[in-house]
Amino acid sequence: MGAPNTAERAVRTGLRMSQNDFVRADLTSPMSSLATPTPRPLEVRGSHEGVWLSRYQYHSSGRGESFAGQHLVVILQHGDRLTVRSLPGSAASSLSMDLTVDDAVVTGTWVEQTDPTGYYWGARYHGAIQLLVEPTGRRMAGKWVGFGRDMDVNTGPWKLTFRDASTSKETLDRYDTSPE
């Protein structure tokens, strides 16, 4: 067996290497001859644009109870990217999500700016989300993960239910109210 390359020696001996040294060493590695897989294009079925009801559940450690958060949101789609923004009149907090669609799997991040006068005093929470799109395309359901007020990691269910395909100003004005 030959001598280990520079990168392997550095790892084994705990030495620090500059980024350029590491790249040069890696080019001489036997692993550098392996082909890098080319990612396949993401598959998108249909449009998810429109108004949706967003509903998630969370446990409040401070209150010792579980609660549901609801917003009416508008989804805009650009290829495999979904931009989700809550309608301002649908809740006292604001919600946004940036998602990627791959066939029936939707993955991304969420951010909620809580009500400045509510229990969480305007705190900003954020995390990751993964949803599965039902075959009808009219419902997405999955899980969120995020940190809690006590710096613990929380998770819970999240659903998006389709309401209207239009994103016109008139439609958004009509839905800019608290969900029923």
Side-chain angles (χ1 to χ4, degrees), residues 41-109:
L42 298 179
E43 189 175 325
V44 179
R45 292 184 190 174
S47 174
H48 300 291
E49 281 199 342
V51 177
W52 294 67
L53 173 64
S54 169
R55 181 177 168 84
Y56 63 91
Q57 293 176 336
Y58 65 98
H59 182 77
S60 171
S61 57
R63 295 179 280 183
E65 294 181 53
S66 291
F67 295 90
Q70 291 193 131
H71 297 82
L72 284 165
V73 299
V74 61
I75 297 181
L76 300 177
Q77 184 166 353
H78 304 282
D80 64 345
R81 304 290 180 168
L82 302 180
T83 302
V84 181
R85 300 294 181 262
S86 61
L87 297 173
S90 71
S93 64
S94 65
L95 173 70
S96 66
M97 291 188 261
D98 294 307
L99 307 170
T100 301
V101 180
D102 186 2
D103 196 18
V105 179
V106 177
T107 305
T109 59

Side-chain angles (χ1 to χ4, degrees), residues 100-122:
T100 301
V101 180
D102 186 2
D103 196 18
V105 179
V106 177
T107 305
T109 59
W110 61 269
V111 176
E112 183 172 12
Q113 185 72 46
T114 63
D115 178 4
T117 62
Y119 180 80
Y120 295 103
W121 293 93

Side-chain angles (χ1 to χ4, degrees), residues 140-172:
M140 301 181 207
K143 299 273 186 184
W144 64 268
V145 63
F147 65 92
R149 189 163 76 172
D150 299 328
M151 295 309 294
D152 50 350
V153 176
N154 297 318
T155 187
W158 201 314
K159 292 180 190 172
L160 292 170
T161 307
F162 178 79
R163 290 292 179 94
D164 198 308
S166 175
T167 58
S168 72
K169 181 178 179 347
E170 295 79 25
T171 301
L172 299 182

Side-chain angles (χ1 to χ4, degrees), residues 112-135:
E112 183 172 12
Q113 185 72 46
T114 63
D115 178 4
T117 62
Y119 180 80
Y120 295 103
W121 293 93
R124 181 179 181 270
Y125 290 98
H126 53 91
I129 184 169
Q130 192 161 56
L131 306 162
L132 297 176
V133 181
E134 289 187 351

